[in-house]
Amino acid sequence: MGRPKSFSRNEVLDCAIQSFWENGYSGTSLSDLEKATGVNKSGLYSEFKDKDDIFLESIKRFGETSPVLTILNHKPLGLKNIEAFLKSSQQCRGQKGCFFANTIREYSVIPEGVKAVLEANFSEVREALTRNLVEAGIKSPRPVTNLIMTFSLGLNLKLNAVETDAIDEEVHSFLKMLKTYVK
């Protein structure tokens, strides 16, 4: 009979998220994950198949705990939700930008399962953005949704290089431009 595990899966994933977020998928080794989680290799392997599985489960966990969809589904729908969405990455847990956006930089090397989770999440975010735009009276919501997604990804990547207050004016200007699309 083996020893009972002495760690919480979600706590391990939360620590792994921070390590992957800081170093990227390629830059994070199993040793890094041991150090970040406080769980040795055999403990990690008792819970996960390999590094790819830890990364996949970390991405899923981040999606489950991210406030983005809650922000975008807040009633009443409209431009205030989109503003809160754009500003939400400034509040991320100890890291800059968004874990999903930062992961996109490594799209060519991340596991296929991770790509599928990212694409499903981005699809949900696109749909939520579109609902907010329709409610705000935007004439052509799909192209504007794509514009917001692109701006948001760029904003999140920029947050890796600048302080959060350095992007406030960009968010403000972008929202001002969005209002020109309102009927």
Side-chain angles (χ1 to χ4, degrees), residues 21-24 100-109 157 160:
W21 199 337
E22 184 176 332
N23 304 307
F100 283 170
N102 290 349
T103 298
I104 289 294
R105 294 181 298 185
E106 295 184 282
Y107 199 81
S108 65
V109 298
L157 292 176
N160 287 282

Side-chain angles (χ1 to χ4, degrees), residues 16-116:
I17 286 168
Q18 294 302 315
S19 187
F20 284 123
W21 199 337
E22 184 176 332
N23 304 307
Y25 168 73
S26 298
T28 302
S29 67
L30 200 53
S31 295
D32 295 328
L33 292 170
E34 285 180 283
K35 195 179 304 178
T37 64
V39 177
N40 66 26
K41 194 180 296 189
S42 65
L44 290 172
Y45 282 139
S46 72
E47 190 71 24
F48 306 98
K49 290 183 261 178
D50 53 22
K51 174 185 158 183
D52 288 359
D53 191 40
I54 298 170
F55 189 56
L56 173 63
E57 295 304 316
S58 296
I59 287 287
K60 287 179 182 177
R61 171 97 172 131
F62 182 79
E64 292 165 359
T65 60
S66 170
V68 167
L69 290 172
T70 301
I71 290 167
L72 288 172
N73 290 320
H74 187 291
K75 304 291 184 204
L77 299 178
L79 292 180
K80 286 206 179 290
N81 287 356
I82 293 171
E83 178 177 6
F85 161 71
L86 292 172
K87 291 181 175 181
S88 68
S89 51
Q90 296 171 295
Q91 316 305 315
C92 284
R93 305 172 233 164
Q95 300 294 337
K96 293 188 174 193
C98 170
F99 183 37
F100 283 170
N102 290 349
T103 298
I104 289 294
R105 294 181 298 185
E106 295 184 282
Y107 199 81
S108 65
V109 298
I110 60 176
E112 291 301 316
V114 173
K115 291 177 185 179

Side-chain angles (χ1 to χ4, degrees), residues 165-179:
D165 58 349
I167 64 161
D168 285 339
E169 181 58 34
E170 291 177 44
V171 171
H172 176 74
S173 296
F174 185 80
L175 290 166
K176 190 173 175 183
M177 183 269 313
L178 266 186
K179 290 177 183 174

